């Protein structure tokens, strides 16, 4: 065994390169079961961020989506649930035109919706009436807010969608009962987001295919319903946070009945459509997943006895769960394994990996394992985070040196730090830079009360929790208090910019398509989030002063730390003008600033060369600001005023 080389933190050579991350890693998305065949979607950075449907049939894996097509819907801008499969025929949304296509085994994709400004998602198949039922988002009227409905679509070319449900601002999860006689769906209205309050409705499907009188059976402005689903025997199940925690319920005999009553979250914030945390192995058995203290668990629930029993599984992060009799298929990951599509045999308890996000194997000596920490916050509460110390078996730091720290503020802001192996985190730790992935107040996984810590306090609670986390590690002697950086994307970018502007803890920062002007965001963003700030900040323009007081763009005179900005030029969530205004202000003030815009990218980067450039650009930026030599050559970037 070789003796580790002594080198400064940040200057360690790592086998975890940007080429390895981008060219040999894919994103695993939606799963769909069609008989014995398993389908899933793959996001491929090496193909310009194209999404491809893949099929596992008779032990062979093959691409279904032909070249020139990108399977991705833009409903709510974040999409999700972009395809379904029925007896080998695939129906999918193509990103370029947002039309719904039919693709059979022996023919090329054929559009079945008109060429108009409508988007489709979260589709199911109505076998009795040979049609598709899905969410529709109509952008055809210029200058007006998009209109969301539930529609039915025929299977022939250029079918005219028929409206089934309308009148609410948003819809999700249209689900038919097994006999096709009833339709259930979720709806909600401004200013709520789906994790704030949704309603669960059902209606009879009439002989002509339209719906009879609708009945609300659960939910409201202060109750979030997630994943309604019919059991094989025709009972409607769903997840509700009416107790403060997302637990499982069912509606039977006109009554709502709790199936689980534990301090755990079976649900997730519905940022993307089609999310699933449970499924029916039979009418008497549900296979489900839930999170406690940031760790996801797999379990079996007896629908008669309500007994919840854990299932053996090494994964700590689980999503997109589906079942067939005797088997469970899901996307799983752990601190030592990247996400993979996994199949669990319920009889033998054997796990089989069907597809990995990456076939790259990283030696354990290069991997930093997350350490769950809890620490006191400025408002007298407790915040949570995952701490990743530097780790590289080939290096050790000089005696007495402490590592730089990057505090990661996740997006959402109601998302959560994941526990599966993330090479973009290991990219830093294997070079000698510590990472703190913060689940600040407002994050999911700790109950409704913890989510609501952010109500009216965005830009305060999240910032304090990030600052307090960094200070906690400094006080413990784990990191260098003079080399603290903060980085985040989207809402996490806003937290980053607020921390750099209104606090003096961090010496540098990186904003990935982050919000800098809350007023601009309130006036100029897409429908799904257009009233999100009502709860996080206050009503606009009635509480305009608060918006102005919490917008970093208005206080650039307070910002003295260097910042690097990354921005997709086709971003409809946080438009480029927000980032460009911030860059201009810092440029004029004389603060060191760097800006990397990316043509062809939306909200979040999907193209390999842009993911590579943003990672390497951020590393180069920190090396210049914190004064450490890089072990590998990285393309320089211009840092103005430096």
């Amino acid at each position: 065994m070789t003796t580790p080389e002594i080198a400064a933190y940040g200057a360690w050579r790592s086998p975890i390169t940007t080429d390895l991350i981008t060219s040999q890693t894919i994103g695993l998305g939606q799963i769909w079961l069609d008989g014995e065949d398993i389908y899933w979607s793959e996001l491929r950075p090496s193909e310009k961020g194209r999404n491809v449907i893949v099929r596992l049939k008779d032990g062979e894996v093959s691409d279904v989506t032909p070249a020139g097509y990108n399977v991705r819907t833009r409903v709510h801008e974040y999409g999700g649930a972009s395809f379904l499969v029925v007896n080998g025929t695939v129906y999918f949304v193509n990103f370029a035109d947002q039309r719904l296509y039919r693709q059979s085994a022996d023919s090329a994709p054929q559009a079945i919706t008109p060429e108009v400004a409508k988007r489709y998602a979260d589709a199911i198949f109505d076998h009795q009436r040979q049609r598709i039922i899905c969410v529709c988002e109509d952008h055809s009227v210029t200058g007006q807010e998009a209109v969301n409905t539930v529609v039915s679509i025929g299977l022939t070319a250029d079918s005219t969608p028929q409206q089934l449900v309308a009148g609410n601002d948003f819809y999700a999860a249209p689900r038919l009962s097994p006999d096709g006689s009833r339709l259930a769906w979720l709806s909600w209205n401004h200013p709520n987001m789906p994790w704030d309050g949704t309603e669960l409705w059902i209606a009879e499907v009439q002989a002509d295919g339209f719906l009879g009188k609708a009945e609300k059976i659960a939910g409201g402005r202060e109750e979030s319903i997630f994943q309604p689903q019919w059991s094989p025997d025709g009972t409607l199940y769903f997840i509700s946070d009416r107790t403060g925690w997302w637990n499982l319920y069912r509606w039977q005999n006109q009554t709502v009945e709790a199936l689980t009553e534990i301090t755990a979250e079976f649900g997730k914030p519905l940022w993307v459509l089609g999310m699933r945390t449970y499924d029916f192995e039979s009418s008497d058995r549900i296979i489900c997943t839930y999170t406690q203290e940031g760790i996801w668990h797999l379990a079996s629930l007896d629908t008669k006895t309500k007994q919840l029993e854990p299932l053996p599984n090494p994964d700590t992060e689980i999503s997109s769960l589906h079942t067939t009799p005797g088997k469970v298929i899901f996307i799983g990951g752990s601190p030592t394994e990247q996400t993979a599509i996994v199949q669990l045999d319920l009889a033998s308890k054997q796990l089989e990996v069907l597809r990995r996000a990456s076939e790259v194997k990283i030696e354990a000596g290069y991997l930093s394992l997350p350490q769950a920490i809890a620490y006191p916050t400025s408002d007298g509460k407790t915040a949570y985070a995952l701490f990743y110390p530097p780790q590289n078996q080939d290096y050790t730091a000089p005696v007495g040196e402490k590592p730089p720290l990057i505090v990661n503020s996740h997006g959402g802001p109601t998302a959560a730090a994941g526990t599966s192996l993330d090479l973009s985190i290991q990219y830093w730790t294997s070079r000698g830079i510590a990472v703190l992935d913060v689940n600040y107040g407002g994050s999911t996984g700790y109950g409704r009360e913890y989510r609501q810590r952010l109500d009216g306090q965005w830009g305060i609670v999240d910032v304090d929790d990030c600052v307090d986390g960094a200070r906690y590690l400094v006080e413990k002697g784990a990191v260098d208090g003079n080399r603290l950086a903060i980085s985040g994307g989207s809402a996490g970018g806003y937290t980053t910019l607020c921390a750099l502007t209104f606090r003096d803890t961090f010496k540098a920062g990186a904003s990935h398509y982050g919000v800098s002007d809350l007023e601009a965001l309130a006036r100029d963003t897409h429908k799904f989030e257009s009233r999100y700030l009502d709860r996080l900040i206050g009503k606009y323009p009635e509480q305009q002063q608060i918006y102005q007081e919490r917008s970093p763009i208005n206080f650039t005179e307070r910002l003295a730390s260097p910042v690097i900005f990354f921005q997709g030029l086709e971003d409809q969530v946080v438009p480029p003008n927000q980032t460009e205004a911030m860059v201009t202000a810092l440029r004029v003030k004389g603060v060191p600033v760097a800006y990397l815009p990316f043509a062809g990218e939306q909200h979040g980067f999907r193209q390999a060369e842009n993911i590579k450039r943003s990672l390497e650009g951020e590393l180069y930026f920190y090396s210049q600001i914190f004064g450490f030599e890089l072990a590998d050559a990285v393309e320089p970037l211009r840092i103005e005023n430096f």
Side-chain angles (χ1 to χ4, degrees):
M1 184 174 181
T2 59
T3 302
E5 180 181 343
I6 298 176
Y9 286 117
W12 300 352
R13 179 173 284 104
S14 169
I16 303 174
T17 64
T18 53
D19 287 332
L20 180 147
I21 293 172
T22 57
S23 65
Q24 300 183 52
T25 302
I26 58 174
L28 297 172
Q30 178 187 353
I31 293 174
W32 191 279
L33 307 185
D34 183 46
E36 296 295 318
D37 301 338
I38 302 173
Y39 293 76
W40 62 84
S41 61
E42 295 183 359
L43 167 62
R44 297 177 177 174
S46 60
E47 297 183 26
K48 300 291 185 181
R50 190 168 79 100
N51 291 268
V52 176
I53 300 171
V54 176
R55 178 182 61 208
L56 173 62
K57 183 179 180 66
D58 299 328
E60 297 292 328
V61 175
S62 60
D63 286 1
V64 173
T65 307
Y69 292 90
N70 181 4
V71 181
R72 180 180 159 208
T73 177
R74 289 186 60 186
V75 171
H76 298 170
E77 292 300 336
Y78 296 101
S82 56
F83 76 92
L84 70 158
V85 187
V86 183
N87 298 326
T89 298
V90 178
Y91 301 86
F92 69 90
V93 176
N94 185 43
F95 180 71
D97 56 14
Q98 290 297 293
R99 299 172 76 184
L100 189 62
Y101 285 75
R102 183 183 66 238
Q103 180 186 356
S104 60
D106 56 355
S107 66
Q110 179 185 31
I112 60 172
T113 55
E115 193 172 353
V116 294
K118 292 184 178 181
R119 305 171 182 179
Y120 306 94
D122 214 355
I124 56 169
F125 197 81
D126 183 350
H127 290 274
Q128 285 191 355
R129 302 163 189 88
Q130 288 297 292
R131 62 178 182 172
I132 289 170
I133 297 175
C134 65
V135 173
C136 175
E137 190 173 86
D138 188 348
H139 292 256
S140 61
V141 180
T142 304
Q144 293 186 15
E145 184 176 73
V147 176
N148 291 61
T149 56
V150 176
V151 302
S152 65
I153 299 170
L155 307 183
T156 57
D158 295 331
S159 297
T160 300
Q162 300 293 316
Q163 183 174 290
L164 299 180
V165 187
N168 294 104
D169 291 323
F170 301 99
Y171 294 94
R175 300 293 182 259
L176 270 176
S177 60
D179 63 3
S181 66
R182 291 174 293 173
L183 183 73
W185 67 89
L186 294 178
S187 67
W188 66 98
N189 292 301
H190 290 312
N192 269 357
M193 301 300 284
W195 46 88
D196 296 325
T198 52
E199 296 177 346
L200 175 58
W201 293 78
I202 64 167
E204 297 289 334
V205 183
Q206 300 177 145
D208 60 4
F210 291 94
L211 303 183
K213 184 179 179 180
E215 175 186 3
K216 187 182 84 169
I217 63 171
R221 291 184 61 83
E222 297 295 329
E223 179 185 0
S224 173
I225 308 297
F226 177 86
Q227 196 190 335
Q229 188 164 332
W230 299 90
S231 70
D233 64 5
T235 301
L236 183 60
Y237 288 69
F238 59 94
I239 291 169
S240 166
D241 70 349
R242 59 178 58 190
T243 65
W245 297 85
W246 268 316
N247 271 235
L248 270 162
Y249 295 80
R250 65 184 166 206
W251 184 70
Q252 201 170 33
N253 300 322
Q254 301 295 312
T255 302
V256 172
E257 176 187 8
L259 291 170
T260 59
E261 297 180 272
I262 60 176
T263 54
E265 299 275 52
F266 289 78
K268 297 182 177 184
L270 198 65
W271 280 103
V272 296
L273 295 168
M275 302 172 80
R276 296 167 60 95
T277 59
Y278 72 96
D279 200 1
F280 294 91
E281 194 270 336
S282 68
S283 294
D284 299 332
R285 188 185 193 190
I286 291 174
I287 306 299
C288 56
T289 182
Y290 60 88
T291 181
Q292 285 180 312
E293 299 180 353
I295 303 297
W296 284 89
H297 305 269
L298 192 66
S300 174
L301 176 66
D302 188 310
T303 62
K304 292 183 176 179
T305 65
K306 303 182 184 179
Q307 186 71 29
L308 187 69
E309 297 182 357
L311 291 172
N313 176 51
D315 294 311
T316 57
E317 194 165 357
I318 303 168
S319 62
S320 198
L321 188 150
H322 293 253
T323 64
T324 59
K327 294 181 180 180
V328 190
I329 298 96
F330 57 89
I331 297 175
S334 74
T336 58
E337 295 287 345
Q338 291 190 77
T339 55
I341 295 178
V342 179
Q343 180 172 276
L344 170 65
D345 187 296
L346 292 171
S348 67
K349 303 298 189 292
Q350 293 297 308
L351 289 166
E352 179 185 1
V353 173
L354 306 180
R355 183 74 145 186
R356 296 185 186 276
S358 175
E359 294 298 334
V360 172
K361 295 294 184 182
I362 307 296
E363 290 185 46
Y366 297 107
L367 296 181
S368 177
L369 299 182
Q371 302 172 9
I373 65 171
Y375 54 91
T377 65
S378 301
D379 61 357
K381 305 289 186 179
T382 298
Y384 306 92
L386 299 172
F387 176 54
Y388 294 82
Q391 174 62 38
N392 186 318
Q393 64 186 15
D394 301 331
Y395 292 92
T396 187
V399 175
E401 184 181 356
K402 295 175 182 176
L405 172 71
I406 299 174
V407 171
N408 181 48
S409 54
H410 64 65
T414 51
T419 55
S420 61
L421 177 59
D422 184 345
L423 293 185
S424 65
I425 289 178
Q426 304 296 328
Y427 177 82
W428 302 109
T429 56
S430 61
R431 285 169 171 76
I433 301 172
V435 174
L436 183 68
D437 209 357
V438 180
N439 277 323
Y440 49 77
S443 302
T444 296
Y446 303 91
R448 186 179 181 95
E449 182 180 348
Y450 193 77
R451 288 203 311 274
Q452 291 183 332
R453 277 187 64 211
L454 209 59
D455 287 0
Q457 298 295 306
W458 192 33
I460 298 176
V461 164
D462 49 323
V463 173
D464 286 343
D465 287 0
C466 287
V467 167
D468 291 339
R471 289 175 175 171
Y472 176 83
L473 293 177
V474 171
E475 292 169 3
K476 293 289 185 182
V479 299
D480 184 349
N482 293 315
R483 293 191 291 173
L484 303 177
I486 183 168
S487 178
S490 190
Y494 170 69
T495 301
T496 293
L497 293 174
C498 283
L500 293 167
T501 303
F502 302 120
R503 308 288 192 275
D504 58 5
T505 301
F506 299 102
K507 310 305 179 185
S511 171
H512 299 253
Y513 39 91
V515 177
S516 62
D517 185 343
L518 291 176
E519 284 194 273
L521 184 66
R523 294 190 303 259
D524 183 21
T525 192
H526 60 120
K527 179 184 178 182
F528 181 61
E529 294 183 85
S530 63
R531 297 288 301 279
Y532 190 14
L533 300 190
D534 283 24
R535 187 180 286 257
L536 295 178
I537 304 293
K539 290 185 177 181
Y540 186 83
E542 292 90 333
Q543 294 173 281
Q544 183 180 30
Q545 184 177 349
I546 299 177
Y547 280 72
Q548 294 172 344
E549 291 172 349
R550 293 197 204 160
S551 294
I553 190 65
N554 297 329
F555 299 92
T556 53
E557 73 278 1
R558 299 188 189 181
L559 205 165
S561 299
V563 189
I564 185 169
F565 295 84
F566 304 90
Q567 178 69 46
L569 295 180
E570 296 180 11
D571 194 337
Q572 298 296 312
V573 179
V574 179
N577 56 12
Q578 287 223 17
T579 291
E580 290 162 0
M582 198 75 180
V583 171
T584 299
L586 297 183
R587 182 183 292 137
V588 170
K589 187 189 175 187
V591 174
V593 61
Y595 177 41
L596 287 179
F598 297 115
E601 292 283 14
Q602 293 86 43
H603 197 63
F605 306 147
R606 292 172 171 81
Q607 300 180 36
E609 61 267 30
N610 298 334
I611 298 171
K612 172 184 172 71
R613 183 60 173 144
S614 61
L615 270 172
E616 292 183 350
E618 191 171 345
L619 175 63
Y620 177 84
F621 183 77
Y622 294 144
S623 75
Q624 298 299 298
I625 302 304
F626 292 144
F628 56 82
E629 296 289 333
L630 295 178
D632 299 299
V634 172
E635 182 183 352
L637 54 81
R638 183 188 178 199
I639 305 176
E640 301 182 57
N641 303 322
F642 183 68

